[in-house]
């Protein structure tokens, strides 16, 4: 793996650095916090500030803005918060111009961060973009723009780095941050004990099914009802199946219960669902099958190696815009990385209780089909690189300062 950061032998000689870090969603906040901690370890006398969440705050980043009201999904949701976004963006631009940080580290959140990259470049502030826009998926012209505005693009997929290099960017493959922490030492039986599932869960006729309806309220509203109806259907075939739902940060028990109460299942009952917190990876390990919303969680499941079905549904307006702008035939990250359909996908109108039930039963009743997918997921995991993405990104940041 090519990484120019390894040439940064004198990184610890920096003093009194000012680094602005901007992340806009929970996942970006988490990944940025790991880089922030590594920067502090390399340069103890460093000032970190910008926009982020609880994770960045715990990593000693002084926040101008917290992201608790920034995590939105889809174009329709963005419209409602656009004035707030523009105010935050203007304030951060003003701080870039007035304080002139030694480097601007942008993490994901493309629609918000791309204009900041352009502004910083115009004012002579070096830019490192970690987890860059998925220009290889849609709006390829963003790669050419970022090649002009960013000193370094820290890519998390090998094909992404190549794509950005072809667009003229100085791009480095730093590895995927999930490799560092999407793991558990628990074996399947131990994970089920950890979750206090019934001992019969080890029986092939008593599968454990993990439900992962998303990390945003809008995802819960659109996707969880289908999952609950599917659970009611599967319970007719596997009455002893056990169901587990790991709560995503920011999603409450009350929201899940409200969705359950609003279900009209024509006489069928939603089976008991064990809702757990801070146990995403044990749930993945414990599950026979995962029903998971398209997004980062699908890659986490790939790292754990759990068979899954990828689902997605959003507001009709969002979906029509996505389809108009995105030429991709696939949605799930494991399929995009593999370049083929290794995980079945049910998207938008295809996502119905009947379709999800039939597909789930097919996997539950065919162990070989699950094993085939598990083997394919191992190849995806291997393409994500080795552990240390945050460290390599921090070194790139410091190297960029030195070369500015």
């Amino acid at each position: 793996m090519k990484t120019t950061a390894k040439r940064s032998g004198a990184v610890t000689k920096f003093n009194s650095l000012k680094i602005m870090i901007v992340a806009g969603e929970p996942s970006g906040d988490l990944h940025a916090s790991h880089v922030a901690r590594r920067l502090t370890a390399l340069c103890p006398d460093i000032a970190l500030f910008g926009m982020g969440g609880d994770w960045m705050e715990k990593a000693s980043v002084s926040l101008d803005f917290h992201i608790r009201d920034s995590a939105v999904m889809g174009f329709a949701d963005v419209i409602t918060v656009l004035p707030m976004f523009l105010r935050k963006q203007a304030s951060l631009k003003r701080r870039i111009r007035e304080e002139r940080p030694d480097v601007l580290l942008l993490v994901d959140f493309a629609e918000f961060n791309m204009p900041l990259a352009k502004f910083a470049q115009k004012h002579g502030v070096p830019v490192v973009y970690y987890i860059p826009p998925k220009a290889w998926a849609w709006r390829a012209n963003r790669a050419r723009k970022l090649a002009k505005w960013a000193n370094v693009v820290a890519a998390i997929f090998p094909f992404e780095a190549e794509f950005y290099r072809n667009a003229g960017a100085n791009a480095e493959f730093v590895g995927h941050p999930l490799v560092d922490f999407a793991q558990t030492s628990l074996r399947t039986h131990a994970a089920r004990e950890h979750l206090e599932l019934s001992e019969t869960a080890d029986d092939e006729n008593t599968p454990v099914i993990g439900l992962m309806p998303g990390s945003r309220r809008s995802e819960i509203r659109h996707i969880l009802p289908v999952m609950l109806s599917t659970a009611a259907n599967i319970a007719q075939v596997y009455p002893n199946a056990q169901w587990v739902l790991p709560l995503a940060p920011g999603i409450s028990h009350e929201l899940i219960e409200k969705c359950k109460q609003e279900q009209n299942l024509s006489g069928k009952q939603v089976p008991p669902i064990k809702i757990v917190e801070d146990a995403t990876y044990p749930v993945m390990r414990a599950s026979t099958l995962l029903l998971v919303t398209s997004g980062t969680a699908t890659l986490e499941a790939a790292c754990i190696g759990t068979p899954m079905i990828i689902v997605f549904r959003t507001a009709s307006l969002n979906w029509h815009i996505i389809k108009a702008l995105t030429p991709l035939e696939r949605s799930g990250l494991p399929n995009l990385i593999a370049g083929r359909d290794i995980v079945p996908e049910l998207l938008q109108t295809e996502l119905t209780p009947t379709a999800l039930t039939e597909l789930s039963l097919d996997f539950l009743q065919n162990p070989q089909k699950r094993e085939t997918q598990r083997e394919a997921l191992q190849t995806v995991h291997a393409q994500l690189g080795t552990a240390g993405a945050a460290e390599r990104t921090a070194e790139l940041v410091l190297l960029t300062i030195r070369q500015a």
Side-chain angles (χ1 to χ4, degrees), residues 231-284:
N233 292 339
I234 293 176
Q236 305 296 304
V237 181
Y238 289 97
N240 295 322
Q242 298 190 68
W243 302 83
V244 191
L245 190 156
L247 279 182
I251 301 300
S252 66
H253 284 260
E254 290 73 22
L255 179 60
I256 303 299
E257 290 300 327
K258 182 179 179 181
C259 286
K260 290 173 64 176
Q261 293 170 6
E262 292 176 350
Q263 286 296 98
N264 181 5
L265 301 176
S266 302
K268 297 179 183 177
Q269 290 188 340
V270 175
I273 298 173
K274 190 177 186 67
I275 301 174
V276 297
E277 298 183 41
D278 302 321
T280 297
Y281 301 142
V283 168
M284 288 181 171

Side-chain angles (χ1 to χ4, degrees), residues 32-243:
S33 73
H34 292 303
V35 179
R37 284 193 173 89
R38 185 58 187 164
L39 285 168
T40 301
L42 290 170
C43 303
D45 184 18
I46 193 171
L48 304 174
F49 61 92
M51 185 173 86
D54 292 345
W55 287 107
M56 286 173 60
E57 205 162 39
K58 293 175 183 177
S60 301
V61 180
S62 176
L63 299 183
D64 291 27
F65 300 104
H66 197 286
I67 65 169
R68 62 176 57 90
D69 54 356
S70 300
V72 297
M73 175 187 175
F75 299 91
D77 291 345
V78 169
I79 291 172
T80 64
V81 297
L82 184 59
M84 175 190 66
F85 273 19
L86 292 177
R87 288 194 298 271
K88 290 182 177 182
Q89 200 174 72
S91 179
L92 292 171
K93 286 180 178 179
R94 185 164 56 250
R95 192 159 191 196
I96 290 172
R97 184 180 64 249
E98 294 175 355
E99 296 205 20
R100 299 187 62 81
D102 293 286
V103 71
L104 171 63
L105 174 60
L106 302 173
V107 184
D108 206 354
F109 209 46
E111 302 307 323
F112 187 93
N113 278 339
M114 286 284 284
L116 291 181
K118 181 180 181 180
F119 185 85
Q121 187 274 336
K122 179 180 178 181
H123 287 81
V125 174
V127 175
V128 175
Y129 208 122
Y130 179 41
I131 313 179
K134 296 178 177 60
W136 41 269
W138 65 298
R139 294 176 62 184
N141 64 315
R142 292 186 298 179
R144 294 187 291 274
K145 291 179 178 178
L146 198 56
K148 298 177 183 177
W149 301 337
N151 296 65
V152 182
V153 173
I156 60 175
F157 302 112
F159 66 84
E160 183 176 68
E162 182 179 1
F163 181 89
Y164 271 95
R165 288 191 198 107
N166 290 337
N170 175 24
E172 294 289 339
F173 172 49
V174 296
H176 202 289
L178 286 180
V179 174
D180 287 86
F181 55 87
Q183 53 188 287
T184 175
S185 60
L186 298 174
R187 308 284 289 182
T188 301
H189 179 78
R192 291 172 177 176
E193 284 188 336
H194 175 77
L195 297 169
E196 298 181 344
L197 297 176
S198 168
E199 293 182 6
T200 58
D202 287 332
D203 189 327
E204 184 64 34
N205 294 318
T206 311
V208 175
I209 303 171
L211 303 179
M212 302 191 68
S215 59
R216 300 176 177 90
R217 294 179 65 88
S218 54
E219 289 176 322
I220 302 297
R221 290 196 305 270
H222 285 104
I223 295 169
L224 183 57
V226 180
M227 289 186 173
L228 295 177
S229 296
T230 299
N233 292 339
I234 293 176
Q236 305 296 304
V237 181
Y238 289 97
N240 295 322
Q242 298 190 68
W243 302 83

Side-chain angles (χ1 to χ4, degrees), residues 10-28:
V11 293
T12 55
K13 294 183 179 180
F14 287 115
N15 293 308
S16 303
L17 291 179
K18 295 188 298 182
I19 297 178
M20 176 183 277
I21 307 176
V22 181
E25 293 184 298
S27 61

